[in-house]
Amino acid sequence: MLTTLKTAYTDTRAEDLAWCLGREPLPALAVLDLRLREFSVQLRLLGASHQVLLEGEGGSCSETVACMSGNSTPLPMGVSTLVDGREYEFAARVEELSRGSFARRAQELLALVADHPHGLAGTFPGSPHAFTAMVAQWREGTVSWRTWHAYPQEGRLVTTRTCVGARVTAAL
């Protein structure tokens, strides 16, 4: 699903993004509700940011990548932890692209997400290459999602990948 977000582009620098687990739902500009096996997944666009709410048997997970104050961590390149007894892995990467490469990559990603049954993308008024996009999937017992945050004025594309996997049982 591709939508034009009705807001000003406010998260204007890739380095301002922060990461947080467990945050309450924030006001969203666009939402996509999904059912992936036994999990309810809500993809949420928050301006040039994202939030994913995951509910499943025996637990939940809330991931937010946004410009936030308090109770957040600068965007890490990688995190591996347990969330409600499930394996959680997060990775982020920042790409710097030339103007032409950025435009091509933006068009490719928006086309991919717009046609994906579990995809949500929002573009911002004023720049066809300013967008946030998300895709979720289920594969081999794992719910995962990828996100792309575009900063055309910097030529930067922030990509994240998250996997929430099997429940971990305590050793006896």
Side-chain angles (χ1 to χ4, degrees), residues 46-106:
L46 316 171
S49 313
H50 82 261
Q51 186 172 51
V52 176
L53 306 177
L54 177 71
E55 295 283 336
E57 184 180 313
S60 64
C61 176
S62 167
E63 173 189 279
T64 307
V65 172
C67 294
M68 300 177 279
S69 60
N71 199 21
S72 62
T73 301
L75 191 66
M77 292 300 107
V79 173
S80 182
T81 190
L82 292 178
V83 175
D84 271 353
R86 292 189 182 277
E87 297 172 346
Y88 170 92
E89 292 183 8
F90 173 87
R93 179 180 66 174
V94 179
E95 295 178 74
E96 293 196 33
L97 303 163
S98 69
R99 187 178 303 270
S101 294
F102 192 94
R104 280 189 301 279
R105 184 86 168 120

Side-chain angles (χ1 to χ4, degrees), residues 31-44 51-56 61 118 120 134-138 142-146 164:
V31 174
L32 179 62
D33 290 305
L34 302 170
R35 186 77 186 166
L36 300 176
R37 300 284 174 117
E38 70 267 18
F39 293 95
S40 294
V41 180
Q42 188 175 73
L43 304 179
R44 303 166 59 81
Q51 186 172 51
V52 176
L53 306 177
L54 177 71
E55 295 283 336
C61 176
H118 302 138
L120 175 63
M134 312 170 71
V135 172
Q137 70 176 8
W138 167 269
T142 300
V143 175
S144 63
W145 55 90
R146 294 193 57 158
V164 178

Side-chain angles (χ1 to χ4, degrees), residues 3-8 29-30 45-49 121-125 130-132:
T3 186
T4 299
L5 301 173
K6 294 173 180 28
T7 186
L29 299 171
L45 296 180
L46 316 171
S49 313
T123 58
F124 294 88
F131 68 91
T132 300

